[in-house]
């Protein structure tokens, strides 16, 4: 209530610990959350959960989840709220100098589920994926190595309806001498580099 300068729960750990500071073992069948935080009122400017890692030699994870047998359970569920957002739902800042990526996804699934699945049902005007370079970076925006995936395509684009914009668009104002499209074949290939087939006689536009 009125104790605004004191913490409700303060836990301090030190030494070579061999057990968890907080351990929750739950065998219940309840349909309510094990830990719940509800911001009923008030305009807050602080974080609900804040994790600060000041030990440089730490090799563990700030947050580790093992779903194990919870195959019908979501690891993370975020509801953005049915309102006009004024800030990004997820904000990831990477400003270090390491040689590791910001996100690593390792998949060994043998099912037919997508690794990343995006479904857009609202009439928005923003991009689903938006990449902007503001520095002289030398990496690629998107790099796809198909390697052993010889039966899959690197990209499939399916269009339908009375389109009013180009399916692929390149707007280039550079002054360099590099190619816009660069295809280099080094194998003994029997297929076409570019294959265009019109499946209907009603088309009146040009292939190229």
């Amino acid at each position: 209530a009125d104790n605004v300068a004191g913490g409700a729960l303060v836990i301090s750990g030190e030494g070579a610990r061999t057990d968890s500071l907080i351990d929750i073992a739950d065998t219940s069948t309840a349909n309510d959350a094990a830990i719940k935080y509800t911001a009923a009122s008030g305009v807050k400017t602080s974080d609900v959960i804040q994790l600060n890692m000041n030990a440089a030699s730490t090799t563990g994870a700030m947050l580790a989840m093992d779903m194990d047998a919870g195959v019908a359970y979501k690891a993370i569920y975020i509801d953005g709220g049915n309102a006009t957002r004024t800030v990004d739902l997820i904000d990831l800042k990477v400003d270090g100098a390491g040689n590791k990526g910001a996100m690593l996804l390792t998949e060994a699934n043998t099912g037919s589920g997508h690794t990343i699945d995006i479904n857009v049902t609202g009439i928005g005007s923003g991009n689903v994926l938006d990449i902007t370079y503001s520095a002289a970076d030398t990496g690629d925006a998107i790099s796809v190595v198909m390697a052993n995936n010889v039966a899959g395509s690197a990209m499939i684009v399916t269009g339908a309806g009375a389109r009013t914009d180009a399916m692929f668009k390149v707007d280039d104002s550079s002054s360099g001498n590099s190619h816009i499209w660069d295809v280099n074949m080094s194998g003994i290939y029997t297929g076409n580099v570019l294959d265009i087939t019109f499946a209907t006689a009603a088309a009146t536009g040009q292939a190229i």
Side-chain angles (χ1 to χ4, degrees):
D2 296 332
N3 186 7
V4 295
L9 178 63
V10 178
I11 299 175
S12 299
E14 62 181 27
R17 293 193 52 80
T18 59
D19 199 3
S20 304
L21 280 175
I22 299 176
D23 192 352
I24 299 176
D26 188 9
T27 60
S28 67
T29 58
N31 58 2
D32 202 1
I35 299 174
K36 180 186 291 186
Y37 173 86
T38 301
S41 62
V43 179
K44 297 174 177 58
T45 58
S46 60
D47 302 321
V48 175
I49 298 176
Q50 187 179 82
L51 304 176
N52 297 314
M53 183 59 66
N54 296 321
S57 60
T58 300
T59 57
M62 292 285 281
L63 179 62
M65 291 181 288
D66 187 352
M67 298 304 293
D68 200 13
V71 294
Y73 221 69
K74 297 180 178 68
I76 297 176
Y77 174 74
I78 299 176
D79 187 342
N82 188 14
T84 302
R85 293 199 56 81
T86 59
V87 70
D88 294 326
L89 191 59
I90 298 176
D91 190 351
L92 178 64
K93 180 180 180 180
V94 182
D95 56 358
N99 294 323
K100 294 297 182 180
M103 182 180 298
L104 174 62
L105 196 157
T106 302
E107 182 195 1
N109 180 32
T110 57
S112 60
H114 305 300
T115 303
I116 298 176
D117 189 7
I118 300 175
N119 299 304
V120 180
T121 59
I123 304 175
S125 58
N127 301 322
V128 175
L129 177 62
D130 188 76
I131 302 174
T132 301
Y133 283 95
S134 58
D137 200 289
T138 58
D140 299 320
I142 298 176
S143 176
V144 180
V145 180
M146 297 301 291
N148 295 330
N149 186 5
V150 295
S153 300
M155 179 183 295
I156 297 177
V157 178
T158 303
R163 295 193 52 81
T164 58
D165 198 3
M167 188 71 76
F168 289 95
K169 183 187 297 184
V170 178
D171 296 324
D172 185 23
S173 61
S174 65
S175 58
N177 58 2
S178 297
H179 307 298
I180 301 298
W181 295 95
D182 187 9
V183 179
N184 300 297
M185 308 295 296
S186 59
I188 302 175
Y189 207 70
T190 58
N192 300 322
V193 176
L194 177 63
D195 187 71
I196 301 175
T197 301
F198 285 94
T200 174
T204 59
Q206 305 295 327
I208 297 180

